[in-house]
């Protein structure tokens, strides 16, 4: 590819230079040196000070307008002379930034373009030196030939020196042809009219106007770039905020939607715009989208939002959007996901409830325990000294059992109120489980419940007594859920934490109870206190771990306890 590019560049350079030497313009320039100098200066200045057009910053030079006007007024030799003399200072000034052979190729290309423009102008009926409306077809044909030669030669260079396809390059050049070369033709005709009226004054006036236009557009282009840069910076800043922001203009349908709004709402920008404009295909989250219809500002409105089956809580506010002059031109809605904050607030309320329960339990321990001890003592005395028939008649064993139950509730409430700090020591979970199974062996055998244990032997720092109570409460719930003839499995896996799973084949936990089952006094048992799982969670958290419901259905229930290792 590089060899083809070199051959192509050599061919263009040689053919263009030979064409220039064939026409050899030096013998045909007679008493026009002052005009020649002015034309060369104009070409050099216009090639340096290009016309830049925002917003894309595209630039084009009007030196081609000077070449075409020279062809139309002075003929081919004068145009080639201007080309040659203007290329010399360009080569001297840009020698370090541009290789010499590229200057030669550029000179050859312009030679082909100027010669083609001249002969097409003559062929379409044009006459050099005169300016007439009847030559409009010749002017247009000359420009088309001039531009087509330029496009074809440039397409050849780019196709051989880059990875782009020729078709893409041609389409890109042709898409800009009408704007750039249309201005070139108009500018060349303006210059022709000025040259025919007064040559020196015309070229000076034309060059001055184009230079002023270049300076002005460059200034406004710089301002536009600054505004575009500031706008991009502000948009990038808004997109990095964790708050969803949506702005709406009253006079137009323009909306600004930042990245956080797209992420929080789970919709793309087009879908969000449709929802704002009430082009809704569903009635989900109506309470949220109805806020966009409100015109007055509002602050911190809590509203629920459901996304992919997950319920979120948003805190929404709206403020007026003002322009530079303080005029009300739109609205800005911003919203924040406070789902975790709401959950944290609920936990705080739960902690307050637990604190109240603890305070009540501490007082109840002193106020209830002493009377219970007296009542239990007298009932025990009566149970030992009364006849069997009298004990059954007055339900003495039942009374003792209920008093023991009250005592258990008081003990559990005290444990929640003032849990003792775990006395940690290194032990294996398997050892604690085996000790527990020894205590529950009679109960398990009586109810035909099978227990399977598969625990990883990992050394943990635990309080064996408190962890025994955790497993006892879980096993006790499992036994009551199974009732008779079932299975309990306890197994583990290890990653960053020690994960222990307790499964039973019981009837499962009702769906409406799963979210609140760790809260105090939540129970499905007629005789339950509702404090067992609360105590379990408190003990596990005091060990730096967590407990959660892993799975529950009619086929069984699985709890997972995650404990730190080391």
């Amino acid at each position: 590819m590089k060899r083809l590019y070199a051959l192509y560049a050599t061919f263009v350079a040689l053919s263009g230079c030979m064409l220039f030497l064939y026409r050899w313009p030096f013998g045909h320039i007679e008493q026009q040196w002052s005009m020649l100098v002015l034309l060369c200066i104009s070409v050099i200045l216009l090639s340096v000070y290009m016309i830049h057009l925002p917003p894309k910053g595209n630039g084009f030079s009007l030196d081609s307008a000077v070449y075409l006007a020279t062809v139309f007024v002075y003929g081919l030799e004068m145009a080639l002379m201007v080309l040659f003399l203007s290329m010399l200072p360009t080569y001297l000034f840009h020698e370090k930034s541009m290789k010499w052979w590229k200057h030669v190729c550029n000179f050859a290309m312009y030679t082909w373009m100027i010669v083609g423009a001249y002969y097409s102008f003559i062929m379409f009926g044009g006459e050099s030196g005169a300016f007439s409306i009847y030559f409009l077809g010749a002017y247009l044909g000359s420009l088309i030939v001039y531009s087509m030669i330029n496009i074809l030669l440039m397409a050849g260079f780019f196709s051989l020196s880059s990875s782009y396809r020729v078709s893409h390059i041609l389409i890109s050049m042709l898409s800009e042809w009408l704007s750039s070369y249309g201005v070139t033709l108009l500018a060349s005709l303006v210059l022709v009219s000025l040259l025919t009226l007064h040559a020196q004054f015309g070229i000076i006036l034309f060059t001055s106007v184009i230079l002023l236009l270049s300076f002005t557009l460059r200034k406004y282009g710089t301002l536009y770039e600054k505004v575009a840069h500031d706008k991009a910076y502000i948009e990038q800043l808004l997109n990095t905020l964790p708050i969803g922001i949506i702005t709406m203009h009253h006079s137009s349908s323009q909306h600004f939607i930042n990245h956080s709004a797209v992420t929080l709402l789970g919709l793309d920008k087009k879908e969000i715009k449709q929802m704002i404009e009430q082009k809704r295909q569903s009635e989900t989250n109506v309470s949220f989208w109805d806020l966009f219809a409100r015109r007055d500002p509002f602050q911190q409105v809590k509203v629920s939002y459901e996304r992919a089956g997950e319920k979120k809580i948003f805190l929404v506010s709206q403020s007026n959007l003002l322009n530079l002059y303080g005029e009300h031109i739109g609205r800005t809605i911003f919203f924040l996901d406070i789902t975790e904050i709401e959950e944290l607030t609920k936990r705080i309320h739960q902690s307050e409830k637990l604190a109240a329960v603890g305070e009540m339990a501490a007082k109840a321990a002193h106020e209830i325990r002493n009377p219970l001890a007296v009542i239990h003592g007298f009932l025990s005395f009566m149970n030992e000294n009364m006849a069997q028939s009298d004990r059954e008649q007055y339900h003495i064993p039942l009374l003792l059992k209920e008093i023991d139950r009250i005592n258990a509730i008081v003990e559990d409430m005290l444990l929640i109120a003032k849990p003792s700090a775990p006395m940690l020591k290194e032990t294996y979970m398997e050892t604690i489980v085996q000790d527990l199974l020894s205590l529950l062996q009679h109960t398990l055998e009586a109810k035909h419940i099978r227990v399977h244990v598969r625990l990883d032997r990992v050394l943990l720092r635990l309080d064996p007594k408190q962890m025994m109570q955790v497993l006892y409460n879980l096993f006790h719930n499992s036994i009551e859920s199974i009732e008779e003839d079932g299975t309990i499995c306890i197994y583990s896996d290890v990653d960053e934490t020690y994960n222990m799973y307790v499964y039973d084949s019981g009837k499962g936990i009702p769906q409406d109870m799963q979210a609140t089952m760790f809260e105090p006094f939540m129970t499905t048992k007629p005789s339950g206190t509702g404090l067992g799982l609360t105590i379990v969670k408190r003990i596990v958290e005091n060990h730096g771990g967590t407990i959660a419901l892993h799975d529950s259905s009619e086929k069984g229930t699985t709890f997972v306890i995650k404990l730190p290792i080391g």
Side-chain angles (χ1 to χ4, degrees):
M1 185 62 72
K2 290 183 179 180
R3 182 175 296 178
L4 289 175
Y5 175 70
L7 291 174
Y8 179 78
T10 303
F11 170 75
V12 172
L14 289 176
S15 61
C17 291
M18 291 176 65
L19 183 62
F20 177 82
L21 294 174
Y22 173 73
R23 293 299 309 180
W24 192 250
F26 292 98
H28 301 277
I29 304 300
E30 299 175 356
Q31 298 179 354
Q32 294 182 352
W33 287 103
S34 61
M35 193 63 206
L36 180 63
V37 171
L38 288 176
L39 289 170
C40 291
I41 293 173
S42 177
V43 168
I44 294 171
L45 290 175
L46 296 184
S47 63
V48 173
Y49 296 100
M50 301 177 66
I51 304 296
H52 293 274
L53 300 177
K56 295 182 179 180
N58 295 336
F60 62 92
S61 172
L62 286 178
D63 56 347
S64 292
V66 179
Y67 290 136
L68 288 173
T70 305
V71 167
F72 298 153
V73 177
Y74 299 106
L76 178 61
E77 286 78 10
M78 187 71 163
L80 291 177
M81 192 66 179
V82 171
L83 171 65
F84 178 77
L85 294 178
S86 61
M87 282 292 177
L88 288 177
T90 304
Y91 169 72
L92 294 175
F93 290 135
H94 296 281
E95 182 180 7
K96 293 181 180 180
S97 60
M98 188 174 177
K99 296 180 180 179
W100 66 268
W101 62 269
K102 290 185 178 180
H103 285 282
V104 175
C105 287
N106 195 30
F107 171 77
M109 287 174 59
Y110 270 101
T111 302
W112 275 105
M113 291 157 60
I114 292 172
V115 172
Y118 172 76
Y119 282 110
S120 61
F121 177 66
I122 299 300
M123 184 179 66
F124 286 112
E127 295 180 7
S128 297
F131 179 66
S132 174
I133 191 67
Y134 298 107
F135 298 157
L136 185 59
Y139 295 140
L140 182 60
S142 177
L143 173 74
I144 292 174
V145 173
Y146 181 90
S147 60
M148 287 298 108
I149 293 174
N150 183 24
I151 290 174
L152 292 175
L153 291 175
M154 291 298 294
F157 275 111
F158 283 119
S159 63
L160 293 175
S161 63
S162 66
S163 59
Y164 293 100
R165 296 174 60 182
V166 179
S167 59
H168 292 169
I169 298 171
L170 287 174
I171 291 172
S172 176
M173 290 183 172
L174 290 173
S175 64
E176 298 180 0
W177 180 88
L178 184 61
S179 59
S180 60
Y181 282 103
V183 174
T184 300
L185 176 61
L186 182 62
S188 64
L189 295 181
V190 170
L191 181 56
V192 168
S193 64
L194 292 173
L195 291 175
T196 54
L197 291 174
H198 193 286
Q200 286 84 359
F201 177 74
I203 188 63
I204 292 172
L205 177 63
F206 177 81
T207 305
S208 300
V209 170
I210 298 302
L211 289 177
L212 287 174
L213 183 62
S214 175
F215 294 148
T216 303
L217 290 178
R218 183 171 297 182
K219 177 182 177 181
Y220 281 106
T222 303
L223 292 175
Y224 179 87
E225 289 179 0
K226 185 178 184 303
V227 171
H229 174 76
D230 293 342
K231 183 184 179 214
Y233 176 78
I234 293 172
E235 288 185 357
Q236 185 178 8
L237 183 64
L238 293 177
N239 283 326
T240 57
L241 294 175
I243 302 172
I245 301 175
I246 300 176
T247 62
M248 297 161 287
H249 290 261
H250 290 162
S251 60
S252 66
S253 59
Q254 293 182 352
H255 295 76
F256 171 75
I257 304 169
N258 72 340
H259 294 339
S260 295
V262 173
T263 303
L264 290 173
L265 299 179
L267 303 171
D268 58 33
K269 294 185 178 181
K270 183 178 179 181
E271 291 173 331
I272 293 174
K273 186 177 179 181
Q274 290 176 348
M275 299 297 284
I276 294 172
E277 296 172 350
Q278 297 185 353
K279 299 177 181 178
R280 307 170 189 170
Q281 298 178 354
S282 64
E283 293 299 321
T284 57
N285 303 314
V286 175
S287 58
F288 174 78
W289 296 113
D290 283 346
L291 294 175
F292 287 82
R294 294 172 59 174
R295 294 285 179 172
D296 297 330
F298 55 84
Q299 297 291 325
Q300 298 182 354
V301 176
K302 286 185 183 180
V303 62
S304 61
Y305 185 90
E306 188 172 346
R307 183 190 67 192
E310 185 180 7
K311 189 175 181 180
K312 297 287 185 179
I313 304 296
F314 290 157
L315 192 64
V316 188
S317 299
Q318 178 173 272
S319 61
N320 292 329
L321 185 64
L322 307 177
N323 63 7
L324 184 63
Y325 307 103
E327 298 172 345
H328 184 201
I329 61 172
R331 295 172 293 141
T332 300
I333 283 188
F334 46 95
F335 51 95
L336 180 67
D337 185 0
I338 60 169
T339 307
E340 293 184 1
I341 297 176
E342 287 292 297
E343 292 294 330
L344 181 60
T345 304
K346 289 182 180 179
R347 292 195 193 104
I348 292 173
H349 290 325
Q350 180 65 23
S351 298
E352 292 174 352
K353 287 167 63 178
L354 290 176
V357 170
E359 185 178 354
M360 181 183 66
K363 293 178 180 179
H366 296 286
E367 300 298 329
I368 298 176
R369 267 180 150 181
N370 292 334
L372 280 180
V374 174
I375 295 171
H376 190 276
F378 277 106
L379 286 175
S380 298
F381 177 77
M382 293 169 63
N383 189 50
E384 293 175 358
N385 294 282
M386 292 177 66
Q388 180 67 27
S389 57
D390 293 334
R391 287 200 300 266
E392 293 177 358
Q393 180 182 356
Y394 295 106
H395 304 286
I396 300 300
L398 179 60
L399 293 175
L400 286 171
K401 182 179 179 182
E402 290 301 314
I403 288 177
D404 289 337
R405 181 166 172 264
I406 294 173
N407 242 329
I409 293 173
V410 172
E411 292 291 338
D412 288 345
M413 291 172 67
L414 283 173
L415 185 59
I416 294 173
K418 296 181 179 179
S420 59
M423 304 295 291
L424 301 179
K425 68 177 185 179
E426 292 184 344
T427 186
Y428 295 100
M429 185 64 70
E430 188 178 6
T431 304
I432 300 174
V433 171
Q434 294 299 333
D435 293 341
L436 176 64
L437 293 179
S438 299
L439 295 175
L440 297 176
Q441 183 177 1
H442 178 71
T443 303
L444 295 170
E445 290 178 353
K447 291 193 173 186
H448 305 286
I449 296 176
R450 298 167 296 280
V451 178
H452 302 284
V453 179
R454 184 181 57 80
L455 294 172
D456 295 282
R457 193 167 178 79
V458 177
L459 200 60
L460 302 173
R461 289 182 57 80
L462 306 171
D463 185 325
K465 291 183 179 180
Q466 291 190 8
M467 197 54 60
M468 173 82 79
Q469 185 175 1
V470 168
L471 293 176
Y472 176 83
N473 286 350
L474 292 177
F475 268 67
H476 180 73
N477 290 344
S478 296
I479 292 170
E480 290 190 345
S481 176
I482 294 172
E483 293 182 353
E484 193 169 355
D485 195 11
T487 303
I488 297 176
C489 297
I490 181 167
Y491 56 96
S492 67
D493 61 50
V494 180
D495 44 35
E496 294 181 356
T497 58
Y498 184 87
N499 309 317
M500 182 174 62
Y501 302 86
V502 180
Y503 161 81
D504 66 69
S505 60
K507 55 188 177 182
I509 299 173
Q511 186 72 27
D512 58 340
M513 294 287 297
Q514 292 180 9
T516 59
M517 61 185 175
F518 289 106
E519 295 182 6
F521 310 114
M522 302 301 296
T523 181
T524 58
K525 307 170 191 175
S527 60
T529 64
L531 297 173
L533 287 178
T534 306
I535 294 170
V536 166
K537 184 178 181 182
R538 182 65 62 90
I539 293 174
V540 172
E541 289 178 349
N542 286 344
H543 280 74
T546 60
I547 181 170
L549 181 65
H550 184 69
D551 181 52
S552 184
S553 66
E554 294 180 356
K555 297 181 179 179
T557 301
T558 305
F559 284 91
V560 56
I561 298 173
K562 296 186 177 183
L563 297 170
I565 300 175

